[in-house]
Amino acid sequence: MSLFSSRLIDNMEPENQTGVSEFLLLGLSEDPELQPLLFGLFLSMYLVTVLGNLLIILAISSDSHLHTPMHFFLSHLSFVDICFTSTIVPKMLVNIQTGNKVITDAGCLIQVYFFMVFICMDNLLLTITAYDRYVAICHPLYYAIIMNPCLCGLMILCSLFISIMNTLLHSLMVLHLFFCTDLKIPHFFYELAQILRLACSDTLINDILMHLVTSLLGAGPLSGIIFSYTRIVLSILRIPSIGGKYKAFSTFGSHLSVVFLFCRTCVGVYLSSAATLSPRRRAVASVMNTVVTPMVNPSIYSLRNMAIKGDLRTLISGTFSFS
């Protein structure tokens, strides 16, 4: 996203333009007594998120037996989760520690840009991983041929390209907006929808574009995930032995849990909360999607994956023995 070109207009005097563009992020709470608690809580959650996802990446990269398409996508999911959380939590911790909640238009646009890129890529990667499990379970004889390294790399690049182009499209539309001098955002990070609410100019086209693209990038991947898992479940039900069914389910159970958690938090924050929750309560609900979900994902990944669980034990024990 480009700079907002510092175009602010006063509510009462539209011709009175200022040369400074700053936004005020109100955060989760303005109670001074809660700030140390919030700082410690979010710092701990951020460190657990980064450490957990880094361990997943290191475990996969260090073991040649885990150099498979499934673990290839899993390592990219962990990397995106780290980047996704890092666009939000560090700035929030700085705001809490310093008490300065003002941010320039450049800082605002950087956070909005990377937030949109990584949340879109997270969504697309979950869809790709669902397709990988569909091929592995429904077409096991052709799995190595279909999910070849070239296709896996191409799907990662396509998801990145779509995420960047989606963000650039919204960014170019924001450039045509004028913003009022009252730029207070009742949230702990910057969202596109929050910024559009602050605009004094007409945002009808921006709203239509935002809802249209969100619907396409939401309904499309969700349809692919539902199709993949419907076919997977039908294939598993045709397996005669209970042991075979359990083994097949264990290969995609963790991914299904991650998809459910991601979709549930997104629906809860961006659909139901928009109509039922106040801005402050919506900010609290967003914690689940932006902080809690990336934190618990590594536990879900390794819970049913014995190979990753064994590599994590080896990696951790080797680290402690070396020190």
Side-chain angles (χ1 to χ4, degrees), residues 3 63 76 87 105 108 153 167 171 222 250 252 266 294 303 309:
L3 289 175
D63 189 353
H76 280 79
T87 62
D105 59 347
C108 177
T167 305
S171 304
L222 182 61
S250 64
F252 80 99
C266 285
L303 187 63
K309 191 182 298 185

Side-chain angles (χ1 to χ4, degrees), residues 14-318:
E15 70 279 3
N16 182 20
Q17 296 184 5
T18 65
V20 180
S21 179
E22 292 182 338
F23 295 84
L24 181 62
L25 201 62
L26 300 181
L28 291 174
S29 175
E30 298 183 69
D31 187 354
E33 297 181 356
L34 289 178
Q35 302 309 307
L37 176 61
L38 290 174
F39 181 83
L41 177 63
F42 281 95
L43 177 61
S44 301
M45 296 171 71
Y46 178 66
L47 293 177
V48 170
T49 300
V50 173
L51 179 61
N53 284 286
L54 275 179
L55 286 175
I56 294 291
I57 296 173
L58 290 175
I60 293 174
S61 60
S62 62
D63 189 353
S64 59
H65 294 92
L66 297 180
H67 294 174
T68 63
M70 180 184 72
H71 296 98
F72 174 74
F73 297 133
L74 184 59
S75 63
H76 280 79
L77 272 171
S78 294
F79 176 75
V80 170
D81 279 344
I82 293 175
C83 297
F84 175 59
T85 308
S86 297
T87 62
I88 298 171
V89 179
K91 176 59 181 175
M92 179 175 61
L93 294 176
V94 171
N95 291 348
I96 294 175
Q97 185 67 17
T98 62
N100 182 16
K101 300 182 179 181
V102 176
I103 187 173
T104 62
D105 59 347
C108 177
L109 70 91
I110 289 174
Q111 188 177 80
V112 171
Y113 180 86
F114 285 106
F115 170 78
M116 292 181 63
V117 167
F118 289 124
I119 195 171
C120 181
M121 194 168 181
D122 206 352
N123 184 31
L124 294 175
L125 283 175
L126 288 175
T127 308
I128 293 173
T129 313
Y131 175 73
D132 171 75
R133 293 298 84 205
Y134 159 72
V135 176
I137 295 176
C138 299
H139 304 283
L141 297 179
Y142 301 98
Y143 179 73
I145 299 175
I146 296 175
M147 301 303 296
N148 58 78
C150 291
L151 179 62
C152 293
L154 182 61
M155 288 193 289
I156 294 293
L157 290 177
C158 287
S159 65
L160 179 61
F161 176 77
I162 292 173
S163 302
I164 292 176
M165 294 305 297
N166 169 54
T167 305
L168 286 177
L169 178 62
H170 289 294
S171 304
L172 293 175
M173 295 300 297
V174 171
L175 289 177
H176 299 284
L177 299 178
F178 288 87
F179 293 88
C180 305
T181 53
D182 185 17
L183 300 178
K184 297 180 180 179
I185 300 179
H187 216 303
F188 64 94
F189 69 98
Y190 298 94
E191 288 182 305
L192 178 63
Q194 298 285 343
I195 294 177
L196 293 181
R197 291 192 184 100
L198 299 177
C200 292
S201 53
D202 185 17
T203 61
L204 177 61
I205 298 178
N206 297 77
D207 291 331
I208 293 176
L209 179 65
M210 181 179 65
H211 288 94
L212 177 62
V213 174
T214 301
S215 299
L216 291 176
L217 293 178
L222 182 61
S223 300
I225 292 173
I226 292 175
F227 170 80
S228 297
Y229 283 120
T230 301
R231 297 297 300 270
I232 288 173
V233 171
L234 292 176
S235 297
I236 291 177
L237 292 178
R238 289 196 291 265
I239 298 177
S241 65
I242 297 178
K245 292 180 180 179
Y246 177 80
K247 183 178 179 180
F249 177 78
S250 64
T251 61
F252 80 99
S254 58
H255 178 260
L256 183 61
S257 302
V258 172
V259 170
F260 176 80
L261 183 61
F262 179 82
C263 294
R264 176 65 183 88
T265 53
C266 285
V267 170
V269 172
Y270 298 108
L271 293 181
S272 62
S273 64
T276 61
L277 296 182
S278 64
R280 183 72 67 180
R281 291 187 176 182
R282 180 180 176 178
V284 176
S286 297
V287 174
M288 282 295 297
N289 185 46
T290 58
V291 182
V292 176
T293 300
M295 182 184 67
V296 301
N297 278 351
S299 300
I300 299 175
Y301 296 151
S302 59
L303 187 63
R304 291 181 175 272
N305 196 314
M306 299 304 296
I308 292 183
K309 191 182 298 185
D311 282 346
L312 287 176
R313 290 198 192 100
T314 303
L315 191 64
I316 295 174
S317 61

